[in-house]
Structures are given as C-alpha cells and as structure tokens.
Amino acid sequence: GQQVMQIPQYQHVQEGEDFTTYCNSSTTLSNIQWYKQRPGGHPVFLIQLVKSGEVKKQKRLTFQFGEAKKNSSLHITATQTTDVGTYFCAGVNTGNQFYFGTGTSLTVIP
Amino acid sequence: DSGVTQTPKHLITATGQRVTLRCSPRSGDLSVYWYQQSLDQGLQFLIHYYNGEERAKGNILERFSAQQFPDLHSELNLSSLELGDSALYFCASSVLAGVTGELFFGEGSRLTVL
C-alpha cells in the first residue's frame, strides 16, 4: 500500500538554529500538504503544494515539492520556541486520499 | 476553532466494551475522515466518507465500524475494546471529494481502555 515516510522522527534544536524535515512517498502524489500539531492539540493545516518543483514560503518556513512529486521538505529558518510541535506531511493521491507521514517532533531549546 | 466538533472529548472504559465517537463536520463539508493517533505516534487513517458513502478504508480493524448520516455527521463505533485501542481519535472534514482541500481537524476524542 501507499506509504509516506518522514525523517527525522525527533529533532532538538537550539533556538535560532534551522530545522528541516523530509517526506518521501512510495508513489507519485497528486499534491502534498503540511500540518502542524502543537503538544496536546490537533493538526492544523499549513500549506498545500501541487506543482512539480514548487517552492512556497511562509515567513520563516519554506516548503518544497520534488520534481517527481514523490518527496517534499519543510525548512524553518531561525527556529523560535513557538515552532515547537510535530510537523506532518500528508501525501494526497488522485483518489483524494490523505496519507500522513510519521511526523517529526520538533523541540526548541531556549 | 476548526468548526469540527467531536464528542466526547474524553472517554474511559473497560476492555470488551463498546463505544461510539461522534463527529460533526464543518458546515457544508461533505467529506469526513477518521484517524487514530496512539501515544507519540503518527496519524493512522481509518476511513473516509463522502456525502454518506464510504470512499476508502485504511487500517481499520473489523471490530471498528463507521457511518455518515444524512445530516453529514459521522460516528465511529469501536467494539470488543482492547488495551491497545487506547488512543486519540481524530475526525477531519473537507469540502469536496473531487477537489483537494485542506483537512479541518476536530480536537479529538481521547479513549482510554482499562
């Protein structure tokens, strides 16, 4: 079946350092979405990438979709304590089914 | 507030019992997805309904079942509960089946099986 793997599973960074999480799908995706789940909270949508090679930025967050539409990354520049949480990618296939990655839990040390 | 309502927020029950989790999607959303999240784990897709019809099944156990009613709310039924069923169960809704929109998650129902 379709799988979406995400690495790393955990990441501890000093405040101000950069952070990147990577997402890989076993199959070509229609699009990919990213979500953030704060501790004790529910996943909240961040962004959707649709086009091959697409790059989108939201302030300190940069999202990329691979040329083959099978991988994606989220990069945070100069992390802040407010960035703490688990970041999930969700690969979406042509049947509009969402396959969530395993998530990367980010801890930011002040 | 995502607009998705899940009840109950917390539920404690014993092994062998049956529970029903309820989800009211955002007004106008036709798609409802159910996910299971165990402690420090990812989101395991259980099932997807669109406008009352089952669209896809994920890793949903035979002891679990779900349905979406004409008013678009959905219920997830968990029976013959085991300790390993303890988890956070999320419902998420989305607008259309043919158009990929974002998922709006409820706050979840935390199930504890003792």
Side-chain angles (χ1 to χ4, degrees):
Chain A
Q2 184 158 3
Q3 291 188 341
V4 177
M5 302 303 294
Q6 204 173 337
I7 57 169
Q9 188 174 0
Y10 301 96
Q11 184 78 60
H12 292 69
V13 299
Q14 291 286 142
E15 189 173 15
E17 291 182 339
D18 291 356
F19 159 77
T20 304
T21 174
Y22 300 91
C23 187
N24 286 286
S25 169
S26 58
T27 60
T28 302
L29 300 168
S30 174
N31 64 80
I32 195 160
Q33 299 183 359
W34 285 90
Y35 291 78
K36 177 182 178 180
Q37 184 178 19
R38 294 182 185 276
H42 58 275
V44 174
F45 174 80
L46 293 177
I47 207 161
Q48 175 176 287
L49 304 169
V50 179
K51 299 177 184 176
S52 169
E54 189 170 13
V55 178
K56 286 188 176 181
K57 291 190 175 184
Q58 288 180 349
K59 297 182 180 178
R60 295 177 293 104
L61 278 62
T62 301
F63 303 84
Q64 293 188 333
F65 200 10
E67 294 291 339
K69 300 185 73 173
K70 295 179 72 173
N71 57 73
S72 181
S73 65
L74 158 59
H75 179 82
I76 302 178
T77 304
T79 54
Q80 301 176 359
T81 55
T82 53
D83 294 326
V84 165
T86 300
Y87 293 85
F88 291 98
C89 62
V92 186
N93 65 13
T94 53
N96 220 37
Q97 299 311 315
F98 292 74
Y99 294 88
F100 278 82
T102 44
T104 296
S105 175
L106 173 63
T107 300
V108 179
I109 304 163
Chain B
D1 182 9
S2 67
V4 178
T5 303
Q6 287 189 248
T7 57
K9 285 186 169 39
H10 301 276
L11 190 56
I12 301 174
T13 189
T15 55
Q17 295 298 305
R18 171 189 170 96
V19 298
T20 297
L21 309 180
R22 182 188 169 101
C23 169
S24 293
R26 288 190 326 152
S27 178
D29 283 2
L30 301 178
S31 270
V32 170
Y33 299 78
W34 285 97
Y35 289 89
Q36 179 194 57
Q37 186 175 44
S38 301
L39 190 62
D40 291 336
Q41 297 295 310
L43 293 158
Q44 297 297 317
F45 169 62
L46 296 178
I47 200 162
H48 169 211
Y49 280 88
Y50 173 75
N51 202 21
E53 292 188 3
E54 181 185 304
R55 279 301 179 98
K57 271 187 175 180
N59 298 322
I60 187 166
L61 300 172
E62 286 190 9
R63 300 183 286 108
F64 296 0
S65 65
Q67 53 183 328
Q68 186 180 28
F69 295 87
D71 66 352
L72 300 178
H73 91 270
S74 179
E75 293 181 355
L76 179 65
N77 301 295
L78 315 174
S79 62
S80 302
L81 286 169
E82 302 175 358
L83 295 177
D85 297 328
S86 295
L88 191 52
Y89 291 85
F90 284 110
C91 162
S93 75
S94 184
V95 179
L96 296 170
V99 177
T100 304
E102 64 190 90
L103 293 180
F104 293 88
F105 282 81
E107 295 186 356
S109 292
R110 183 169 295 281
L111 173 65
T112 302
V113 182
L114 300 176

